[in-house]
Amino acid sequence: MSAARTGRWWTVAGVVIVLYSFFPLLWMISLAFKPPSDIVSGSPQFWPTSWTLDNFAQIFSQPLFTRALINSVGIALIATALSVVIAMFAAYAIARLEFPGKKVLLSLALAIAMFPQAALVGPLFDMWRGLAIYDTWIGLIIPYLTFALPLSIWTLSAFFRQIPWEMEHAAQVDGATPWQAFRKVVVPLAAPGVFTTAILTFFFCWNDFLFAISLTSTNSARTVPAALAFFQGASYFESPVPYIMAASVVVTIPVVILVLIFQRRIVAGLTSGAVKG
């Protein structure tokens, strides 16, 4: 088979994969703009018979969604910031210092990241109630850090290992303190890795459902993925699907736009971290 024909087949395969990946998103958008009558129609259609924004107006009029949206943004941002800051210092120490058990520590960190979350929900539920942090922001931030930190440390340590020691030494020779050399030389050079780690951590916190549904009971800390399970129609006989899809569009589209805008930096960060280490 010629190279040109092979390239065409790869192009066709890529288009099919993209369409397959985008179909659930298009279906979600279609349902979000459909009136509730279209959902129970005897002749369903992919596109709405009449486009409406009432579903979005309905969800933003409910404290259940608006409060959950605030919780999601706040919890995800705080957990991401803490995870990136702590991971930077831990990864720098692992990459630069020699101490017994360093490889074992990295292996344990990766093992924690792969530990099943469902196994921790029961113990955390009892512990959090005893510590009076059940149904609070910190009650969700701590589990998110537990699972986000190991992967963040593993990823950032690969970036820090790529940065030559000589650059830090040169900064210190010029009069910089170790902290200044770290802040003004090492961190900017590892910016792609830091950015990638922050994005992955934010997505993990933003999309989590298990902890959010298990460790909350009211709107005070419940995030959007958990709040969607409590959506109801305007009446007992009305389907809540359009409202759930409208809320899903609100929380999904910004994430998609974020990825599209920063996709080059994300890819650069992932590939750079995989070159060495």
Side-chain angles (χ1 to χ4, degrees):
M1 184 179 293
S2 65
R5 181 175 297 181
T6 302
R8 284 195 295 269
W9 278 111
W10 278 112
T11 301
V12 172
V15 171
V16 171
I17 293 173
V18 169
L19 292 177
Y20 176 80
S21 302
F22 269 93
F23 180 79
L25 181 62
L26 293 176
W27 181 244
M28 179 178 68
I29 294 173
S30 172
L31 290 173
F33 287 94
K34 281 184 177 181
S37 58
D38 279 10
I39 304 296
V40 296
S41 173
S43 55
Q45 302 180 32
F46 182 85
W47 298 114
T49 55
S50 60
W51 295 77
T52 179
L53 295 174
D54 293 343
N55 300 327
F56 294 91
Q58 179 70 20
I59 62 171
F60 278 107
S61 66
Q62 297 183 14
L64 172 64
F65 178 74
T66 54
R67 178 60 188 177
L69 193 59
I70 294 173
N71 293 337
S72 288
V73 173
I75 291 172
L77 288 178
I78 294 173
T80 300
L82 291 175
S83 177
V84 171
V85 171
I86 297 172
M88 278 196 302
F89 292 113
Y92 178 79
I94 291 174
R96 292 307 198 207
L97 303 180
E98 291 296 333
F99 55 89
K102 182 168 71 171
K103 292 184 179 180
V104 176
L105 180 63
L106 277 175
S107 300
L108 288 176
L110 196 59
I112 292 173
M114 296 186 294
F115 197 81
Q117 299 179 9
L120 297 178
V121 169
L124 284 177
F125 179 85
D126 291 333
M127 290 175 58
W128 274 200
R129 289 179 67 87
L131 295 172
I133 58 174
Y134 176 78
D135 197 27
T136 62
W137 279 27
I138 192 172
L140 287 178
I141 291 172
I142 293 175
Y144 291 165
L145 286 176
T146 303
F147 283 90
L149 268 176
L151 185 59
S152 301
I153 293 172
W154 184 276
T155 304
L156 285 175
S157 62
F159 282 92
F160 287 134
R161 283 197 295 268
Q162 295 179 50
I163 300 174
W165 271 103
E166 291 77 10
M167 303 193 71
E168 287 182 80
H169 292 161
Q172 294 179 13
V173 168
D174 290 338
T177 63
W179 166 245
Q180 289 174 330
F182 173 79
R183 181 168 55 90
K184 297 183 178 181
V185 177
V186 177
V187 173
L189 291 175
V194 174
F195 185 84
T196 302
T197 302
I199 287 290
L200 295 178
T201 303
F202 181 84
F203 287 171
F204 168 76
C205 301
W206 184 263
N207 296 323
D208 173 73
F209 175 79
L210 183 59
F211 287 134
I213 197 69
S214 304
L215 301 180
T216 60
S217 59
T218 66
N219 294 340
S220 60
R222 184 179 289 139
T223 58
V224 172
L228 292 180
F230 296 91
F231 270 44
Q232 297 178 351
S235 67
Y236 180 79
F237 301 99
E238 188 176 79
S239 172
V241 171
Y243 307 121
I244 295 175
M245 292 298 104
S248 300
V249 168
V250 171
V251 299
T252 301
I253 296 300
V255 174
V256 174
I257 293 174
L258 187 67
V259 172
L260 292 176
I261 293 175
F262 297 106
Q263 60 179 330
R264 290 188 177 182
R265 298 200 65 176
I266 296 173
V267 173
L270 292 173
T271 53
S272 297
V275 173
K276 294 182 181 179

